[in-house]
Amino acid sequence: MKDWTRQEAITLSGLTRNQFEHLENKGLITPIKLGNPNRPTVIYSNTQLLAIRAYAKLRKEGLTMQALDKMPDNFLSPDKVSITKLVIAWEKKIEWIEDTPQSFYSSVFQNKNGKGKLLTTFSVKQLVDEMRSDFEKLGDDTIIDFNERLLEVA
């Protein structure tokens, strides 16, 4: 199994259930819902989990939910997330770019277009490593096959 239940995703992302519901209500993330429509089993893919973790990291770095609500509609889209990507957060824009010096410097030099001050930058690989470290600190055996499931991304 390479997908994650809502409870596993909440545990691994650092977000609350309400923040997950906010992301879903805004249409920023669309999980798969299985079973009983009144109490479905909610499932997230690896790439969705990493996108949610990126959102959580941006929140931890001080970006407000209001600022993050202004992200491009497709920012949390699974096709944006890959191990070769880097997240760059400017005051007025958040973007995924390829994790290469050329892409980074190109983004920085294009800052003349009014992106504002550089707030933070991190790679998807860094997100995976942080998630692995957080999981090990949990000592939680309720998440089965964590490393094997995460290795499918890393």
Side-chain angles (χ1 to χ4, degrees), residues 133-144:
S133 174
D134 289 351
F135 174 75
E136 289 168 1
K137 287 177 196 169
L138 282 174
D140 191 343
D141 60 357
T142 61
I143 300 177
I144 299 168

Side-chain angles (χ1 to χ4, degrees), residues 50 53 57 61 83 85-87 99 120-133:
L50 287 169
R53 182 71 184 218
K57 186 166 180 71
E61 296 284 337
I83 202 69
K85 297 285 183 149
L86 184 72
V87 175
D99 190 3
T120 189
T121 182
F122 53 88
S123 68
V124 172
K125 170 127 179 48
Q126 186 179 352
L127 290 175
V128 170
D129 292 344
E130 288 173 3
M131 205 162 25
R132 185 173 284 120
S133 174

Side-chain angles (χ1 to χ4, degrees), residues 30-58:
T30 307
I32 296 170
K33 296 183 180 183
L34 304 171
N36 182 343
N38 296 325
R39 288 190 48 92
T41 299
V42 180
I43 303 293
Y44 299 90
S45 69
N46 268 327
T47 53
Q48 285 178 317
L49 179 60
L50 287 169
I52 293 164
R53 182 71 184 218
Y55 180 94
K57 186 166 180 71
L58 291 168

